Amino acid sequence: MFKKILFATSASPACDDAANVAFDMARRNEAELHVFHVLGLPTRGFSPFVTDVRTGEEADHDDEYHAWVKEEIKNTYARQLETAKNIELVTSVGVPHTEILRYARQNDVDLIIMGSNTRGENVGASRFKGVAGSTVQKVSKAARCPVLIVSRPCTTCWSYFSNIVFGTDFSKASWSAFLFAYKVAKTVGCKLHIFHALDLRSDESVESSQGLIEERIEEIKGRMTKIYGKAMKDFDNFEFEVWEGMPYVEVLKFARERKADLIVMAHHAKKVDAEDATLGRTVEQVALRSACPVASVTHPDKVEVLEEDSQLAKA
C-alpha cells in the first residue's frame, strides 16, 4: 500500500512509539523507509553553525557532524535496524517542518509518520496542556500526503487492523480523509466505522429536546449514506454512527468502544481552506489522547482509491 514512508524523528524517547510503527509498517509493506532528522537551525543565514534541536547547543554542521548524528540515530534504533531493509538515514539543516515537507515532496513520499511531540522534555507538559508539538501541527497543515501521528505504543500492526474509525465533519478535507480510510480498509480487509459527533452546544433549538436530537441524528445518517455509502463500491464492511456530544470526547469514546486500530480525520475541523487552517482542536485532542495511531489527512494526493469510486461519490 505504501512504497515510500518518511519517519521524521528527533531521535529522542518521545519518538520511540512512532519509530516502532514506522519500522514495522515499512517491513510489512516492503517499502522504502526514510529516517529523517533535522540537525538544527542555522545561527544566521547560511552559517556553518547550527543550534542542535536536541541539546540546544551550537555545533558545526560539517560532514563529520552529520556522520556523527547518523551514528547516534543508528544506535538509537539499533534493535529495529537489525531486521530492517531498504532504509535510508537522512540529516538536514533548517526549520524542522520546512525540511520535512520539502523532503517528502521531493521524494514523492506516500506517508509521513511522527510522534505527537518530538522533544522529549516537553512531552508531559504538552500533553498536560493538550497541545501537540508545533512541528507536527505545521507538517499536518501542509503535507500533500497523510500524516500518521503516534502518541502511544501501538499494539496492532497495520496489516492486522480489524477496525478503522473515520471521523467526519463533512468538510472538503474530510472527503480526502474518507478516501484514505476507505483505501486502507479495502486493502487490509477490516471494518470501517464512519462516525460523526453532533455538537449541540451552540444550538439552543434542539439541546433540550430528545426528539429533535434523534431526528437530527437520523438526518445525518442519511447524509452519510448519500455521500459515503454510494462511494464504497464492492465494499460492505462498514457502519454509520452518530453520537451527540463534544467531538473529540465522542470520537475517543467511540474508538475505544469499537476497539479501533486507527483513527482517520481531516487535519482541521472548520470548513476553511487547508492553506489557512491550523491543526484543528478536535484532531489535536484526539491525537494526544488516542490509544491508537491517528492519521491526519489534508489533501487528496496519495489517497485516491479508484477513479470510478471518486467520480461516483461526486455525482
Side-chain angles (χ1 to χ4, degrees):
M1 182 173 177
F2 303 105
K3 296 179 180 179
K4 294 183 180 180
I5 297 173
L6 173 60
F7 168 43
T9 178
S10 61
S12 70
C15 297
D16 286 352
D17 295 331
N20 291 332
V21 172
F23 279 93
D24 185 72
M25 285 184 62
R27 182 174 64 255
R28 293 182 181 280
N29 284 270
E30 298 183 350
E32 296 178 19
L33 178 61
H34 301 251
V35 180
F36 188 79
H37 174 71
V38 180
L39 298 176
L41 303 175
T43 52
R44 58 185 181 281
F46 291 96
S47 167
F49 298 98
V50 296
T51 301
D52 192 289
V53 295
R54 296 177 301 172
T55 65
E57 298 177 356
E58 189 175 270
D60 184 351
H61 63 93
D62 55 14
D63 291 344
E64 185 178 344
Y65 185 67
H66 278 262
W68 175 78
V69 171
K70 287 182 179 179
E71 282 302 314
E72 287 295 300
I73 294 174
K74 288 180 182 178
N75 292 333
T76 300
Y77 301 122
R79 178 180 59 82
Q80 292 94 332
L81 287 169
E82 286 180 359
T83 57
K85 297 179 180 179
N86 209 3
I87 306 295
E88 184 171 357
L89 301 181
V90 184
T91 54
S92 180
V93 173
V95 179
H97 76 271
T98 301
E99 298 305 313
I100 293 168
L101 291 167
R102 179 185 291 121
Y103 187 86
R105 183 177 63 253
Q106 291 177 345
N107 290 274
D108 196 26
V109 166
D110 301 310
L111 180 71
I112 298 173
I113 299 178
M114 305 178 69
S116 58
N117 289 275
T118 55
R119 298 187 64 181
E121 64 272 23
N122 289 337
V123 173
S126 295
R127 285 181 179 160
F128 179 78
K129 295 175 182 176
V131 179
S134 61
T135 299
V136 176
Q137 292 190 38
K138 292 172 181 176
V139 171
S140 297
K141 173 182 176 179
R144 307 300 299 188
C145 65
V147 179
L148 188 65
I149 305 169
V150 183
S151 61
R152 300 286 192 281
C154 183
T155 57
T156 54
C157 302
W158 193 273
S159 300
Y160 297 145
F161 280 177
S162 297
N163 294 283
I164 295 175
V165 170
F166 160 57
T168 180
D169 63 353
F170 299 102
S171 64
K172 182 179 179 181
S174 281
W175 175 250
S176 297
F178 162 71
L179 287 178
F180 179 70
Y182 174 36
K183 179 179 180 180
V184 175
K186 285 187 71 174
T187 302
V188 177
C190 65
K191 187 164 186 175
L192 177 60
H193 304 264
I194 299 177
F195 179 80
H196 176 75
L198 178 60
D199 191 351
L200 299 174
R201 287 174 296 173
S202 60
D203 193 342
E204 297 179 357
S205 65
V206 297
E207 64 179 5
S208 60
S209 171
Q210 185 61 35
L212 288 176
I213 292 174
E214 291 176 1
E215 236 178 76
R216 181 73 65 82
I217 287 175
E218 290 306 312
E219 288 175 4
I220 294 172
K221 286 185 177 180
R223 188 178 180 187
M224 287 176 164
T225 301
K226 183 178 180 180
I227 295 174
Y228 303 119
K230 68 177 183 178
M232 292 185 281
K233 186 178 180 181
D234 300 326
F235 182 79
D236 59 5
N237 193 14
F238 63 87
E239 71 164 356
F240 299 129
E241 191 62 77
V242 181
W243 288 6
E244 185 271 324
M246 187 178 296
Y248 86 84
V249 174
E250 299 309 314
V251 169
L252 289 167
K253 285 165 56 180
F254 181 77
R256 184 170 63 247
E257 181 177 294
R258 294 301 193 273
K259 296 180 174 59
D261 303 295
L262 175 70
I263 298 173
V264 181
M265 301 178 70
H267 94 294
H268 62 278
K270 295 183 179 179
K271 298 179 182 179
V272 296
D273 291 336
E275 298 303 322
D276 300 322
T278 58
L279 183 64
R281 182 166 178 79
T282 299
V283 181
E284 180 177 332
Q285 295 301 315
V286 170
L288 288 168
R289 292 170 168 80
S290 175
C292 65
V294 176
S296 168
V297 184
T298 310
H299 299 281
D301 303 33
K302 302 290 185 182
V303 300
E304 293 290 348
V305 186
L306 294 173
E307 184 62 27
E308 57 265 32
D309 291 340
S310 181
Q311 294 302 320
L312 178 63
K314 294 175 182 177

